[in-house]
Amino acid sequence: MTPELSALAVRGLTKRFDRPAVDALDLTIRVGEFYALLGPNGAGKTTTLRMVAGLLRPDAGSVSILGTDALADPVSAKQVMAWVSDEPMIYDKLTPLEYLEFVAGLWGIDPRTSESSARDLLMSLGLEPHLNERCEGFSKGMRQKVALAGALVHDPRLIILDEPLTGLDALSARHVKGLLQERVRAGCTVIMTTHILEVAERMADRIGVIAAGRLIAEGTLAELREQNGRNDTTLEDMFIALVDTEAAAA
Ligand SMILES: Nc1ncnc2c1ncn2[C@@H]1O[C@H](COP(=O)(O)OP(=O)(O)OP(=O)(O)O)[C@@H](O)[C@H]1O
């Protein structure tokens, strides 16, 4: 039997700064999953995702993205993946449409097809009134949405987002959530960090909790409840209990 291809398989992933930030982490995320990665401040979420996205070299371990060894072949891995940072960088002098056209050009996408999909993407994020305004006057939330649209231009199969909803107003957050859910329905995989536990509770197929660079719990909401021995508890209650137990054991 052929083993099922994972969207992401991380094994023994390790990064140390002055102390371990990610500590021999194993993580497997299936194709088509919406996965929420949770953890307290400083748990190692961003460091993990930056290593997965090829922005930070691990001290040890492996990263496989849709079957490609991302450390040995980062170019192929990046072609199927999008990384959306919590501090997005866009070009201020360009309009959203020009920015997406620029990104599409970097990926070698035919301008005739890229323009209409860029327009659709930006409109689905509620940016229609601003398509031809320079990004320099945009708020943080508007810039976040332009960066997200830019990251999706090459139609990635794996979309990794660090805190994509922070700072977004309710309507913008709804646009972003809708877009991500649509991508998952189309067969993409989404991995997202968030401190907004209601979002993880409502949107994620599976949830992983990391603390001190290690995975301390993982499963569907129902599985986490079962592991916790409570049927009625909220994700917030479980999260706090898990993190407290871990801190007490450290
Ligand atoms: N470039 C760096 N240099 C030194 N230490 C770093 C660096 N990046 C991260 N760290 C440390 O690694 C640990 C994990 O940080 P990381 O940003 O991955 O946590 P996080 O789970 O994303 O936190 P948050 O929820 O606050 O964003 C922290 O102790 C942090 O101070």
Side-chain angles (χ1 to χ4, degrees), residues 33-162:
E33 271 191 317
F34 197 127
Y35 190 96
L37 187 61
L38 312 181
N41 291 133
K45 303 179 295 297
T46 301
T47 306
T48 299
L49 297 185
R50 290 188 70 216
M51 289 191 280
V52 169
L55 300 171
L56 186 66
R57 189 88 196 159
D59 295 337
S62 65
V63 176
S64 170
I65 293 173
L66 289 157
T68 296
D69 179 339
L71 300 179
D73 188 358
V75 174
S76 299
K78 281 178 185 157
Q79 276 167 351
V80 292
M81 169 180 61
W83 159 252
V84 188
S85 150
D86 59 344
E87 286 168 3
M89 297 236 291
I90 53 177
Y91 291 101
D92 277 355
K93 297 294 175 199
L94 301 181
T95 68
L97 268 180
E98 288 167 347
Y99 174 67
L100 263 62
E101 198 180 302
F102 167 74
V103 175
L106 295 179
W107 286 110
I109 301 168
D110 183 343
R112 281 168 302 186
T113 52
S114 68
E115 206 212 306
S116 73
S117 61
R119 220 169 249 285
D120 290 349
L121 250 175
L122 292 164
M123 280 162 57
S124 71
L125 289 167
L127 286 166
E128 189 173 7
H130 311 286
L131 292 183
N132 295 305
E133 293 170 13
R134 284 189 184 182
C135 297
E136 60 193 354
F138 284 9
S139 70
K140 184 170 180 283
M142 288 160 78
R143 300 167 77 83
Q144 250 171 281
K145 291 192 287 182
V146 175
L148 171 61
L152 300 183
V153 157
H154 65 297
D155 212 6
R157 309 311 298 153
L158 172 63
I159 305 167
I160 304 175
L161 311 105
D162 199 9

Side-chain angles (χ1 to χ4, degrees), residues 6-14 22-30 33 35-38 44-52 61-66 158 160 190-193 206-211 213-219:
S6 307
L8 175 67
V10 158
R11 297 289 173 267
L13 196 67
T14 301
V22 178
D23 189 5
L25 181 72
D26 291 343
L27 199 58
T28 304
I29 295 166
R30 300 176 203 120
E33 271 191 317
Y35 190 96
L37 187 61
L38 312 181
K45 303 179 295 297
T46 301
T47 306
T48 299
L49 297 185
R50 290 188 70 216
M51 289 191 280
V52 169
S62 65
V63 176
S64 170
I65 293 173
L66 289 157
L158 172 63
I160 304 175
V190 170
I191 305 172
M192 177 175 106
T193 71
R206 278 198 310 146
I207 295 162
V209 182
I210 69 172
R214 288 180 296 114
L215 193 66
I216 58 167
E218 187 183 54

